[in-house]
Amino acid sequence: MSDAGSNGNHADPDSPWDGARYLREILRAPVYEAAEHTPLQPMPALSTRLGNTVEVKREDLQSVHSFKIRGAYNAMRSLSDAERERGVVTASAGNHAQGVARSASLLGVRALIVMPTVTPRIKVDAVRTLGGEVLLSGDNFDAAKAEALRLAKAEGLTYIAPFDDPRVIAGQGTIGLEMIQQDADLDRVFVPVGGGGLVSGIAVLIKQLMPQVQVIGVEHEESACLNAALAAGEPVTLEHVGLFAEGVAVRRIGDETFRLCAQLLDDVVTVSSDEVSAAVRDLFEDLRAVPEPSGAVALAGLKQYVAAHDLSGERLACVLSGANLNFHQLRYISERAEIGEQREAILGVTIPEVQGEFLRFASVLGGRAVTEFNYRVSASAPAGAPARIFVGVRLTRGRDERREIVADLEAAGYGVVDLTEDELAKVHVRSMIGGRAPEGLVERLFSFEFPESPGALTRFLEILGTRWNITLFHYRTDGADYGRILTAFEAGPADAELTEHMDRLGYAYQEETDDPSARFFLAR
């Protein structure tokens, strides 16, 4: 196993643990020297709404507010005296870093945590407060991990893997043991998947003791490395991962975790940011818990699975894996939760530019609540040209009602574009209504994920230089380590040099010139 390390306390890559050994190691794992036995709490309101009993494993109540303390402590507790004396090293920008730091403090071991230079100060300070020694290195996790592995070899430190280590997996497996002790009648368990350590540990325990219980992995659609590996028959590296659900934003599933997942999981589903946002709200409304986005991934998958398979009368459990939320993400989550629950439709509508038309438009909606209405008169528009509005409408019956609204508006003579599933519309365009391109401008539109670090914007401009005129620029942060930028350049479709320069930036980008919302509201 690639991350297992080379010391004698880790499994030999040529001799993977079987189910019996995992069960033995989970049962004897000394995790309660550091971790809490967390409750499995019912969600009464959601249970009534879904027609199934829904329970949540509250790993957000751990001292470090995530499950990671279990695996980190179990791996570090197994170190020899000599290994403890030399210390440990790991790479992480999130919950694993805090789990290792807390475990090291309890065991009296030096812990060096390598974190990317773009890591927010709040996370760096949290690790230091827990006793970890922080080294900022590299622009991303992969670079930080490479430095951690180099230091492990150079200084004789033991590398503590975040997921692809059997002792880490066994530590996380104690959650599964608690769950079946707390509810012996469970039908299905839903577990978030990042690198696979949590879902592997829970699955190997449950399938040894209660094989009739289904274990279902849940991935965020922008970091579905397990699905990619299952399709390829082996772990593969994703070219890019989204960072909204940062705790599960892993580019490559572990070797050992993939072996276990492929053998043991009953199903794997993927969820969107909107579905995760809706699940965050469910957890708050039912339990007054405030999870980080990755902490709500499993509940989002549970809800999707119930709807897709028409489940009724079952006992379903999911893991709330963490609550180290960046407070600024709440704005984004709140905004997207309505869409994720199919309670809001986002539409682009063409209406005549005449007095009283908004009143007529509202009457066509038939008393439905308008949640957003964006419009700006354009001085450059020809006389008599229709207006284009961005409108949000409250829904009570989901997708069927959305289709009805579109049909009613079209029947009234309005042109309608349904933008509810359009990411660009929800992140950028809704904030830019009223600014349309000048007549005759030829431009190309791109979206970027932009690292939240000093000098990032300067580097962006230096690489692109003054070769292209910037004709549009919108920046938005949702509280994660990366902000989002929408920008346009005065350039034609045949200008290959533009994308060559963008490739040199090293930032994830995508051309959006033909996006429906951009064509509707921003282009001439």
Side-chain angles (χ1 to χ4, degrees):
M1 286 156 279
S2 60
D3 286 335
S6 59
N7 66 74
N9 283 290
H10 297 285
D12 183 338
D14 297 324
S15 303
W17 293 11
D18 60 13
R21 182 169 182 186
Y22 267 112
L23 176 60
R24 191 163 59 248
E25 295 294 338
I26 292 170
L27 292 175
R28 61 188 285 187
V31 298
Y32 301 107
E33 297 172 2
E36 301 294 328
H37 191 292
T38 56
L40 183 67
Q41 291 187 330
M43 295 184 68
L46 185 61
S47 297
T48 299
R49 199 167 91 220
L50 297 184
N52 294 271
T53 298
V54 179
E55 299 174 307
V56 179
K57 185 62 170 165
R58 295 291 306 275
E59 285 299 290
D60 59 310
L61 298 178
Q62 295 291 353
S63 62
V64 296
H65 306 295
S66 91
F67 72 96
K68 288 287 191 175
I69 185 68
R70 296 177 185 255
Y73 188 84
N74 194 51
M76 293 169 64
R77 181 69 160 71
S78 69
L79 298 177
S80 67
D81 291 342
E83 288 167 333
R84 292 193 192 191
E85 182 69 24
R86 289 193 297 269
V88 302
V89 64
T90 195
S92 172
N95 294 335
H96 178 62
Q98 296 184 50
V100 171
R102 174 61 176 160
S103 299
S105 178
L106 292 170
L107 294 168
V109 174
R110 177 202 176 201
L112 177 59
I113 317 293
V114 184
M115 309 182 82
T117 56
V118 297
T119 304
R121 175 63 56 182
I122 187 173
K123 296 183 179 181
V124 174
D125 290 343
V127 172
R128 286 176 173 153
T129 298
L130 290 167
E133 178 184 333
V134 176
L135 172 65
L136 298 177
S137 179
D139 292 335
N140 52 52
F141 171 75
D142 290 333
K145 179 181 176 182
E147 177 63 10
L149 292 172
R150 186 192 70 80
L151 289 168
K153 184 176 182 179
E155 300 185 18
L157 305 174
T158 300
Y159 180 71
I160 304 299
F163 47 82
D164 204 19
D165 180 324
R167 297 190 186 277
V168 171
I169 294 168
Q172 321 303 22
T174 58
I175 297 172
L177 180 61
E178 291 175 19
M179 293 177 79
I180 61 174
Q181 290 172 335
Q182 291 163 324
D183 188 343
D185 296 316
L186 288 173
D187 292 297
R188 304 174 205 261
V189 172
F190 295 80
V191 188
V193 180
L198 177 61
V199 72
S200 295
I202 290 176
V204 74
L205 182 284
I206 288 179
K207 292 303 182 180
Q208 286 288 302
L209 298 181
M210 296 181 66
Q212 76 277 12
V213 178
Q214 290 200 3
V215 181
I216 299 165
V218 186
E219 295 188 286
H220 191 276
E221 63 183 9
E222 295 180 352
S223 55
C225 62
L226 175 54
N227 263 301
L230 291 171
E234 63 182 1
V236 296
T237 301
L238 301 179
E239 184 176 339
H240 172 67
V241 296
L243 294 169
F244 170 66
E246 182 187 15
V248 294
V250 176
R251 295 178 64 197
R252 185 183 189 277
I253 197 81
D255 294 333
E256 174 67 349
T257 54
F258 173 70
R259 182 181 75 87
L260 294 171
C261 287
Q263 290 178 1
L264 301 172
L265 295 189
D266 294 283
D267 208 344
V268 181
V269 299
T270 60
V271 294
S272 68
S273 294
D274 291 347
E275 290 173 313
V276 172
S277 296
V280 170
R281 186 177 63 183
D282 290 326
L283 288 162
F284 175 76
E285 291 181 349
D286 241 335
L287 304 177
R288 293 300 184 263
V290 185
E292 60 189 278
S294 61
V297 162
L299 180 59
L302 182 154
K303 292 169 59 184
Q304 183 195 103
Y305 204 85
V306 167
H309 296 269
D310 197 25
L311 302 184
S312 178
E314 294 196 5
R315 300 188 68 83
L316 312 174
C318 63
V319 180
L320 196 175
S321 56
N324 287 304
L325 175 73
N326 187 324
F327 182 78
H328 296 292
Q329 281 188 290
L330 285 172
R331 177 183 63 181
Y332 176 93
I333 291 168
S334 176
E335 189 175 88
R336 302 294 284 265
E338 290 291 294
I339 297 172
E341 202 62 71
Q342 294 296 317
R343 294 179 182 174
E344 184 180 31
I346 300 296
L347 307 172
V349 184
T350 304
I351 67 174
E353 182 73 274
V354 296
Q355 191 171 347
E357 192 59 37
F358 183 25
L359 177 59
R360 176 174 175 262
F361 171 81
S363 69
V364 174
L365 293 177
R368 297 182 180 93
V370 174
T371 59
E372 185 170 0
F373 190 95
N374 289 333
Y375 162 70
R376 177 74 167 91
V377 67
S378 175
S380 62
R388 292 186 171 185
I389 62 172
F390 184 102
V391 61
V393 183
R394 181 88 63 203
L395 303 177
T396 58
R397 292 183 286 106
R399 285 187 174 86
D400 289 341
E401 185 179 10
R402 201 169 98 201
R403 286 190 284 267
E404 289 174 12
I405 292 171
V406 171
D408 289 345
L409 291 171
E410 290 177 337
Y414 298 122
V416 184
V417 179
D418 188 345
L419 303 174
T420 310
E421 310 295 340
D422 190 308
E423 185 72 7
L424 204 72
K426 292 179 283 189
V427 174
H428 294 288
V429 174
R430 73 190 317 164
S431 303
M432 304 176 69
I433 305 304
R436 297 177 66 79
E439 193 71 39
L441 176 67
V442 177
E443 63 179 359
R444 294 174 68 182
L445 187 68
F446 296 87
S447 60
F448 288 84
E449 282 193 346
F450 214 69
E452 294 279 13
S453 62
L457 178 58
T458 300
R459 180 167 182 268
F460 180 91
L461 296 172
E462 285 175 346
I463 293 293
L464 292 174
T466 57
R467 167 70 173 77
W468 296 274
N469 180 37
I470 294 177
T471 58
L472 175 151
F473 198 91
H474 181 253
Y475 165 74
R476 169 131 186 205
T477 178
D478 57 22
D481 296 354
Y482 281 66
R484 301 186 184 193
I485 283 177
L486 181 69
T487 186
F489 302 91
E490 189 171 0
D495 192 342
E497 189 180 352
L498 175 60
T499 51
E500 289 171 3
H501 274 63
M502 289 181 180
D503 291 337
R504 287 174 52 197
L505 275 169
Y507 303 154
Y509 74 90
Q510 180 174 326
E511 182 156 9
E512 307 283 7
T513 305
D514 294 325
D515 178 86
S517 65
R519 303 297 302 172
F520 192 86
F521 287 109
L522 304 178
R524 173 55 55 197

